[in-house]
Structures are given as C-alpha cells and as structure tokens.
Amino acid sequence: MQDINNIVNGKDLFKKPEYQKVLADKKEFEGGYGAVNPAKTAEIAEWTRGWDYREKNLAREAITINPAKACQPLGAVMVALGFENTMPYVHGSHGCVAYFRSYFTRHFKEPTPCVSDSMTEDAAVFGGLVNMKDGLKNCAAVYKPEMIAVSTTCMAEVIGDDLYAFATAAKEEDGGEFLAEDFPITYAHTPSFTGSHITGYDNMMHGIMSQLTEGNKKEEKNGKINIIPGFETYIGSIRSVKAIVEAFGAEYTMLGDHSDQWDMPAGEYSMFAGGTPIADAKDCINAKATISLQKYATIKTMKMAKKWKHAGGTSNPIGLKGTDEFVMKLAELTGKEVPQKLKTERGRLVDAMQDSYPYMHGKKFAIWGDPDFLVGMVSFLVEMGAEPTHVLCNNPVRGWEDEIRAILDTSPASADCHIWAGKDLWHMRSLLFTQPVDFMIGNSYGKELMRDTNIPLIYIGFPIFDRHHLHRYSISGYDGALNLLTWITNKVLDQLDEDTKGIASTDYFFDLIR
Amino acid sequence: MGPESLEARQKAAIEEVLKAYPEKAAKNRAKHLGVGGPEDESQKTCGNVRSNKKTVPGVMSQRGCAYAGSKGVVWGPVKDMVHISHGPVGCGQYSRAGRRNYYIGTTGVDTFVTMNFTSDFQEKDIVFGGDKKLDKCLHEIDELFPLNNGITVQSECPIGLIGDDINATSKMYAKKTGHVIVPVNCEGFRGVSQSLGHHIANDTVRDYVFDGKVDTLGEEIAVTDYDVAIIGDYNIGGDAWSSRILLEEMGLRVVAQWSGDATLKEMVATTKVKLNLLHCYRSMNYISRHMEKEYGIPWVEYNFFGPSQTVKSLRKIAAFFDESIQAKCEEVIAKYQPMVDAVTEKFRPRLEGKQVMLFVGGLRPRHVIGAYEDLGMEVIGTGYEFAHDDDYKRTKDEIFRSTVIYDDVNEYELEAFVKKLQPDLVASGIKEKYVFQKMGLPYRQMHSWDYSGPYHGYDGFAIFAADMDLAINSPVWAHTKAPWDKVGEA
C-alpha cells in the first residue's frame, strides 16, 4: 500500500512485496515460456546472442524488425512546416496524421499542426475528390493558412487520386469564398511504399519549389543563395548554418526553415511560427545558387536546381571537414574571404578536439540513422580517430554505401569497419552481440539494444523521445561539432567512471582528473 | 460562479466556435457539440451530441484509425504473440511502444510487445501483391522467435485495396505448421476512427482464439468459483496490476488480463470464468457480449479511478459472489480507507475547486470524472475521440454539473473552448499537450498518464492525486510572465 509520506509511481510501487507477489502469482495463468519454462527462455536468449542466430537473422528477406526509418508523408509534413503560415495537409485517412503529429511532438516536445481529409471506405471506392474539396475549404476557413501543402498516404496512392486535378476542382467549387484563385495549394505524391521519410521530404520540397516558382523566372538572377536543410531534426543545426551564411554577409533563403515552428517560446500559442516567407520561396528560382545540406534527402530537388542552372550543390556541414567544405563553398559562391569569426570558431573546435582525442581514439562505435546524418557523423568519428565498427542505414540511397566506404578508408581501421545498408535494428542486435563495440550512437530505438547488450547509448539522431532538449542543440557547423565532441567525450568519461567505481577493487583508476 | 452562468458560458462558447466553419461543416459540427448535465433530457446520449460519424475533412481531428484500434489497442499488448504491421513501414513505426502497456517478459525472446515487426511493403508488393511476402514473414518469425505463441497480421490500408488475401495465407500457414495465426482486416480506412478496429479485433479473438480451439502451454487452469477476468485494461503504467491486487485481496482469482500483460493462454481460459469485469467498455464490450451469449458468462462494468467509484465498483463486483467475498470486499475497503483519507486530506486543499477540461478516448472521458471530484476538482468539459451513443449515455451518470460535451473535438475547437472557459487543468493527449502548456496551462496526458501511473485502484489514486498536484501547483507556470511585463499583460 502507498505510504502517504512517500507516494511512489510504478517505478517503485511494483517493487513492494505485495506487488511482487501479484506478479509472481500471475504466472500461474500465463502461457508464455517465461512463466511455463524459464529454462527454455534462457536457452533461446543465449542462442540469439550467437553467430548461428546472426547468420539466420542476416538472411532474412521478408520481415523487417525494429526498423530505423519511417514513411514518406512524415518528411512531407516537415517540409510544409518550414514555410510561413503553411498547413501540412495529408490526403488520406486521419489515422496517419495522428501518427505524424504524435511522432514529431514526442521528439520536439512542441505542437505539430497538420490536417487530413479523413478519407474512409467510401472514398477508397469512389476516390477522395469530395474529401479534398471539403477538406481544403474547411482547412482554409478554420486555420487561415497562407499556403496548404498537400501530400498523400498510401491509401490515396493505391487508388491513384490526382492531386492537381482535385486541388483545381476544389478551388472551382469554392468559387473564391475561402480559396482564392491565387491561393497556393502545393502538392506532392508521397507513397509510403517507396523510399522512406527522406524521399517524402524530397518530393514535397520539389513540389513546393517547382509549383511556387511557375512563371516567376526572371532574366536576371537575384544574387541570393538557397539553402535546403533536409530532414533536419536538430533545431540548433539550422541556426548554426544560418550563422555561418550570415558571417559571409551573403543574402540567402533558407528553404523549409522549421526552426521556429518547433521551438516556440512559452507565453502564448500561435499555430504557426517562422518559416520561409512564401514570397521568398516563389523567388527561389532566381537565386544564383542552391546548396542542399542533405544530398540523399534532396536528390530530385537538386536535379531541378541543376536544371535551373544554380551553382552550389550539396554540402554536409557535420563534423570538421564537412563544415570546412561548406564554409569554402560559401567563400567560393560569395567571392569573399572566410570571415575571422569562423576562423576563430574553427580554431576553438580543433583545440577542443586536440584536448579530448585520447578518449575517443580507438573506441569502437556502432551507429545508425539516415544516410546524410551518417555521412557527417562517420566523418566526424574518423576525424577523432574513433572506429565506426558498424554503420547501419535502413533507408540507404544509391551511392551512399560508396561514399561511406570512402570515408572509412581514410581510417587505419577501415578493414574492421562494416557498412550495413538496408538492415534494421534487430540485425544490429546480432552484430552487437557477435562483434561488440564500446558505444552506440543512435535514436531512442537504441534503448532496447542498450538494455540487451549493456553497450552504452549516446543519444544522437531521430527520433529521441526519452531524453529532453537535445534537439534544441546543433550538430552542424563548428559549434555543432563541439556539441558532438562534448556529448561523446563525456559519455566515454561517464562510462570510465562506471567501469572503475568498484570500492577497494578498481577505484584506483577512478581518477579525479582526466 | 453559479451553475447557471457556467451553462450560459458553455452554450455561448459553442455558438462562437461554430462561426468559424463554412456552412456544411458548421452544420455537421453543431451536432457533435452540446452542454450536458446530470438532468439533461437527451435520452440516448449526453448533451444531445451525435457521435461515431465521419470526421469533417480538413480539420485537425485527434482521431486514429482502425489499425490503431486493433494493433495499437486490443492485440498489441498480448505479450507472447508477435504482431505484424502488415503493409508499409510507417504505421508500425509511429505506433511502436507508445502506449505504455506494461508487461513482464524477456523482450525479443518470449515477449514482443515493444518491438516493431513489419512487412515493410515496397512498390512491387503493391503491384504484384504481398501474400507471398506475408508467408515468408511468418516463416522467418517462427525461425527467429521460436518461443512466440502465435502471430497476428494487422492489416494496413493497402492490404484491403490491392486484393491480398491474408486470411487464406494465414490459414494455409497455420494448417501447415499448427501455429496460431490471426489475420486481422483492420485497414486504417475502415470505419471512422479507432473504434471499428476494436470491434474487428474483438471479432478475431472470437474466431481465432475461442473458436480456433488453440492449444496452450503448461497445465490447464483448474476452474474455481471465484474466477474472474479483467477485460479492457491495457495495463498502462501498470493499471491492471494495481487493479488485480484489490480483486485478489477480496478473494477473487484473476485468471486473465485483457490485454495488458496478457498471454494467449489467459484469453483462452477466459471462456470458463464466472464473471467478466469490463473496464474499457468501448473497446471490449463486443467480446464480453459474445462470451455472455456463447458461454453464459455475465459481465459487469466497473470503474477503478478514484476511491468513490472504486468502492462502488468493488461492492458491485462482490455482489455477484457469496457472502465470504462480500465480507472480504468490505475488509479491503476498510483497509485502504485510511490511506485514501490521508491522500485526500493532503491533496484536496491544494486542488479544491480547480476546474478541468478533458478530451480522451475509450472510457476515460467519463471514468476519471469521479477521481477529480474526489479531490474537490470540477470537470467542466469532456469528450471522446471515438465514442458511440452508449458511451455518452453512460457519461451522463458520471457528471456532476453542467459540462460541455464535445465529440471528436478538433484542435481549433478545443483551443477555443479552453480559452473561453479558462480551466485550471487540461487533460488530453500528446498532440495537444504543448499547445496548452505554451499558454501556461497545467496539463496532464491522460492516455499515457504522462509517463507516470498507474492510476487505477487505491494505490493508483494516490499517484493520480500527487500528479495532479504536481501539474497544477508546480512553480514553473508562474515563470511565463517576465519581470519587465507590465501588470495585466501576459
């Protein structure tokens, strides 16, 4: 029973003897092996840690277990929320939208506006035109967005709804009451059964950029640089990148800037905050350059930029080398010297790397995440002399594996570093048991791996549901690299203390100064 | 403030909210909003609201889908079975381990609740069909997880649209291997919310667990006169455990938990219990009615939120049994009463008169009202994501004053109601949480107990009271106003 002076929740309540008895007695009725034949559970648990299991596990062809990827419309919703007063609108069932909103909200601890047109069985049979007509009208009337960005669920894709025709029909029927003729309804097809959330990001960004710029191409370029952040889940990273561009005094447009949307101050709530002004987005075709910070999340979009004859290309500003390349790209595009501010920042980062290197050097890491995240992170690990033993990407894009291999080849440990393209986190479990590492770097899904293998997890990635505020920091630019260095080094030091705190046994190495 | 003026404010709020909609949507939404009271005249619902209808397109509904109702709610917590999210990768990923269905077991070996198994459909599966892939998935799961006691196939939207026959594939595999395979046609587009998913999932329990005559591990459970099953408790934060302990203390034998911390064997054993105890009526009334009809097992609804309702429920349950149980029931009530009194004494002065607005799903929009009232708090607005008329009818019995009733409320409406009615606490889900916290309003997630709990039973009530106190009386809400802000400005 609860002690009134020390009311405890489930963490300690169920440790009380009366509850331990409840849980033990319940086993009498259970039909699981843990209750009926615990020895068998132990035997199989042991088997799952071995090479035989690993081989069977890696031979899987059909079932995905504990994936490290999500589906297209999630990325499309992120894009939409990066434009000013823009409502993400998902054509399909509202269940999907409930999921996208929960998923982002659990990561950012911020509201995530998004609507759907609530298609049901009849729409699946007759098409979703009626839903779209009503949905666009209601959305415009109630939330008064400046733009609606429509993406699709797999249901709408399977039945083959035509978004352009539907949006046009919706405007016609509305007759300008809520949806003016020039009201921007941008759209992208985002089938969940192709690619992953980064593909959806690419499709929606391509859709918005191509549709908003229709008829807006001018003879003269406007001298600006477009920056596309990609599926960026670190709010601070967007700010770091802006600070770098601003240090050059360059005129730029951040296309899809959700940094204010998912970082609203307390005090009052407004549905939308910040974002790329629609007018700037309409003009992005006239920029002199477009730089994408995530190559694999913007393949289609960057093809378009190339067709627009924009200079720039892709640049991944995670880690020292990545940031250097981004900075030099800006120097080239602006024709300016690298500003002193950035030189100083770089110097401080390198200083910090030289202070901490003994703790990361030679440490073995397992890491997973999106392809661009991994390019930056693996590069940083190698810069520090760490060994990325297992690099796993569940949603690889063509070319990614070669790029990672080239980075690994700059490490003396290259031969012991493995790339796992298209594999999931249940594969990772086998890899960790059979070829262990010192640390893991990844998202909250690594938590169960941490429990099962005892390998410490450093929370860097997306989604992070069970650690707070990390997404507010930067992992890009020199300041972002310093954050990475701080998080990783201090986790290594925490673990060192953990491993040496045995009283009168190992605590000679429990040093005060490290 | 008298009840009349509260009611007037509530009615005015509804009228104002409806003004923002285009005509067709306003007409629709008007039917889902009302002011209910203990004496209100609507016969079939509460506040005369309509429910379980299609959501208005284009508004930010909080509803989920049939897949969420089946995989996320009913089947997902059954711990010794593997549940495949059959279709594209997203649904399983977004719903992974989000509901806090607590369990004891070795995850990945004999227990699988927090894992995500998906057939991860690709374009070729859509074009050529995914039945062969499903068959292969079943094989691979049985090879890698030999201690699973069964597999359910939870259909995502495309399955029903591309003409796959998961029923035939599952049946063939089950026949070949003798394993329990449960195909569930819970595609997200079916029905108007998660509700139909509950119903579909209930039906598959009937067809594949009861009628399937499945073999389970270990010895058969000998029947006693005091066997009961907890139905519709998903063990969120351990709710079913803090309920179970009370039932056992009063001499009953809880043979099964549905479906939090459940095993297949417990579900099978349920057809022999003496009484089914139904907590979440909405999601599991179907199977309870079936067991009544087919096996003659009576069922009784109960409510373990807050001591007033808990006491009533314990007595209601005991009344189905002999005097020995009834006597022990009184002993249990007496045993916990001092603790309950101490909790109330401690927290009531800190919470007295605070007003609450609720928006949740299942049973909570009505079941938790009593718990708030036990702490001296007043619920002035409540509504359900996916209720039917019978839920609203039951709600009327649990409200104490004029209450705004909002069915399938969307983000715009809830925000407007809160601004207009100014509650001291909003209690709803994760999607709404930060909207209200930004406004400086105390908030508790009432789907997940905000990562605390359990809230069921006497021990749960103490946690509930402490958590509400934590939310309402935390110093953080006072920081919103900066020292340089002028008086009267936010």
Side-chain angles (χ1 to χ4, degrees), chain B residues 96-382:
Chain B
R96 183 178 173 190
R99 266 179 59 87
R100 305 187 69 230
N101 306 111
Y102 280 12
Y103 61 86
I104 302 286
T106 308
T107 307
V109 179
D110 61 17
T111 311
F112 312 96
V113 180
T114 53
M115 296 172 69
N116 173 9
F117 292 80
T118 172
S119 48
D120 189 7
F121 262 37
Q122 302 299 307
E123 190 146 16
K124 63 176 192 305
D125 303 314
I126 299 287
V127 176
F128 300 110
D131 285 333
K132 276 189 187 146
K133 188 172 199 179
L134 175 60
D135 183 66
K136 203 171 218 176
C137 285
L138 297 170
H139 274 103
E140 289 177 354
I141 288 169
D142 276 339
E143 187 184 15
L144 291 168
F145 305 94
L147 304 189
N148 83 75
N149 282 336
I151 302 172
T152 73
V153 182
Q154 307 285 333
S155 303
E156 300 170 8
C157 286
I159 304 306
L161 298 171
I162 60 174
D164 269 16
D165 191 348
I166 62 162
N167 301 304
T169 307
S170 302
K171 198 172 168 185
M172 255 160 53
Y173 183 85
K175 205 170 163 190
K176 213 161 45 190
T177 60
H179 294 178
V180 179
I181 312 292
V182 183
V184 190
N185 299 109
C186 55
E187 287 85 351
F189 60 79
R190 296 193 193 278
V192 300
S193 67
Q194 0 347 20
S195 184
L196 188 61
H198 306 143
H199 196 154
I200 292 167
N202 275 228
D203 287 352
T204 56
V205 173
R206 178 195 63 202
D207 296 345
Y208 292 89
V209 178
F210 293 169
D211 298 352
K213 312 250 182 296
V214 304
D215 290 325
T216 55
L217 291 179
E219 287 170 28
E220 204 180 327
I221 299 163
V223 174
T224 77
D225 288 342
Y226 301 114
D227 290 358
V228 295
I230 291 177
I231 310 280
D233 189 326
Y234 300 101
N235 206 31
I236 289 165
D239 279 340
W241 295 334
S242 61
S243 303
R244 185 182 184 101
I245 194 168
L246 301 179
L247 299 166
E248 289 179 346
E249 281 178 11
M250 65 189 253
L252 299 176
R253 203 170 76 137
V254 182
V255 169
Q257 280 179 206
W258 292 52
S259 56
D261 196 35
T263 58
L264 182 63
K265 185 177 183 176
E266 290 167 67
M267 299 175 90
V268 171
T270 305
T271 57
K272 292 182 182 160
V273 301
K274 296 291 175 288
L275 179 65
N276 275 323
L277 309 178
L278 181 56
H279 209 241
C280 181
Y281 169 85
R282 180 71 277 133
S283 59
M284 285 200 175
N285 77 84
Y286 317 101
I287 198 69
S288 306
R289 290 176 197 280
H290 173 75
M291 282 189 266
E292 182 179 39
K293 198 169 139 224
E294 197 65 27
Y295 305 98
I297 303 169
W299 51 279
V300 57
E301 288 177 65
Y302 71 108
N303 177 355
F304 271 2
F305 287 105
S308 302
Q309 293 295 335
T310 303
V311 167
K312 256 196 226 169
S313 295
L314 286 172
R315 289 189 175 133
K316 190 154 106 180
I317 293 164
F320 281 82
F321 296 91
D322 58 35
E323 281 170 8
S324 75
I325 298 293
Q326 289 164 19
K328 269 190 245 165
C329 170
E330 292 306 320
E331 281 169 30
V332 170
I333 292 168
K335 175 183 157 188
Y336 284 94
Q337 196 58 45
M339 187 267 277
V340 166
D341 291 342
V343 168
T344 313
E345 195 183 324
K346 182 170 179 174
F347 294 106
R348 189 165 178 136
R350 301 167 62 78
L351 299 169
E352 186 85 50
K354 299 286 184 194
Q355 297 192 323
V356 186
M357 287 177 70
L358 292 168
F359 183 70
V360 224
L363 69 157
R364 286 171 268 209
R366 63 173 176 277
H367 265 35
V368 298
I369 293 174
Y372 283 111
E373 297 283 338
D374 284 338
L375 292 167
M377 299 170 74
E378 301 171 357
V379 174
I380 59 167
T382 192

Side-chain angles (χ1 to χ4, degrees), chain A residues 108-245:
Chain A
F108 290 112
K109 319 286 180 212
E110 295 282 330
T112 303
C114 177
V115 301
S116 90
D117 49 20
S118 296
M119 283 166 68
T120 51
E121 206 145 5
D122 52 347
V125 177
F126 302 112
L129 177 60
V130 177
N131 295 67
M132 188 106 155
K133 282 178 176 174
D134 286 347
L136 288 171
K137 184 200 276 261
N138 291 336
C139 173
V142 174
Y143 301 108
K144 301 186 175 54
E146 257 183 81
M147 174 161 86
I148 297 176
V150 183
S151 54
T152 50
T153 68
C154 46
M155 170 202 191
E157 286 301 317
V158 170
I159 64 177
D161 279 355
D162 180 342
L163 296 180
Y164 174 73
F166 283 16
T168 311
K171 278 189 183 177
E172 262 173 32
E173 189 179 279
D174 180 66
E177 193 184 354
F178 297 101
L179 301 163
E181 211 187 320
D182 61 350
F183 180 84
I185 301 173
T186 46
Y187 60 91
H189 291 277
T190 50
S192 304
F193 42 80
T194 310
S196 68
H197 53 287
I198 60 170
T199 322
Y201 183 95
D202 195 13
N203 284 333
M204 193 78 238
M205 184 56 84
H206 179 271
I208 288 180
M209 283 173 66
S210 61
Q211 292 152 28
L212 283 184
T213 54
E214 259 168 47
N216 290 338
K217 189 160 167 43
K218 295 179 185 143
E219 289 296 307
E220 291 284 306
K221 293 211 179 292
N222 63 21
K224 284 184 172 179
I225 300 170
N226 296 323
I227 310 271
I228 302 173
F231 192 90
E232 180 55 75
T233 59
Y234 283 88
I235 296 304
S237 286
I238 295 182
R239 292 181 185 145
S240 292
V241 166
K242 282 184 186 173
I244 293 173
V245 183

Side-chain angles (χ1 to χ4, degrees), chain A residues 234-436:
Chain A
Y234 283 88
I235 296 304
S237 286
I238 295 182
R239 292 181 185 145
S240 292
V241 166
K242 282 184 186 173
I244 293 173
V245 183
E246 282 163 18
F248 278 95
E251 272 204 75
Y252 71 102
T253 305
M254 181 73 79
L255 286 168
D257 175 3
H258 49 257
S259 60
D260 289 341
Q261 177 67 35
W262 273 315
D263 197 13
M264 283 185 202
E268 56 184 316
Y269 172 66
S270 68
M271 187 158 277
F272 303 114
T276 314
I278 306 298
D280 291 0
K282 284 181 174 171
D283 198 34
C284 74
I285 192 170
N286 298 311
K288 68 173 176 185
T290 297
I291 303 175
S292 163
L293 307 180
Q294 291 188 0
K295 178 160 95 181
Y296 299 106
T298 54
I299 288 175
K300 194 171 161 188
T301 305
M302 289 309 285
K303 265 188 200 153
M304 180 172 66
K306 209 170 164 190
K307 230 165 63 191
W308 287 352
K309 297 199 165 45
H310 286 188
T314 58
S315 184
N316 187 328
I318 299 178
L320 177 70
K321 188 163 157 274
T323 306
D324 284 346
E325 281 170 8
F326 179 57
V327 166
M328 289 201 299
K329 191 175 278 270
L330 286 168
E332 187 195 315
L333 288 171
T334 57
K336 288 182 183 165
E337 276 279 310
V338 174
Q340 186 55 45
K341 175 180 178 273
L342 295 178
K343 288 180 180 167
T344 307
E345 265 186 39
R346 183 185 195 278
R348 285 178 184 143
L349 170 64
V350 173
D351 181 65
M353 290 165 81
Q354 291 167 350
D355 293 346
S356 307
Y357 75 93
Y359 295 100
M360 278 179 72
H361 190 94
K363 292 285 185 302
K364 292 182 193 302
F365 285 84
I367 183 167
W368 65 91
D370 287 343
D372 294 291
F373 168 80
L374 289 170
V375 166
M377 288 299 298
V378 169
S379 178
F380 179 68
L381 290 173
V382 171
E383 284 163 11
M384 288 303 297
E387 298 177 14
T389 308
H390 300 298
V391 181
L392 183 145
C393 184
N394 208 175
N395 52 344
V397 177
R398 194 188 306 173
W400 172 82
E401 202 169 338
D402 291 343
E403 188 172 357
I404 291 285
R405 181 41 70 193
I407 299 167
L408 292 174
D409 282 347
T410 64
S411 160
S414 179
D416 298 320
C417 297
H418 310 283
I419 305 171
W420 304 99
K423 298 298 179 191
D424 56 44
L425 295 180
W426 192 254
H427 291 123
M428 180 60 103
R429 188 176 182 272
S430 281
L431 302 173
L432 294 171
F433 275 126
T434 50
Q435 291 173 291

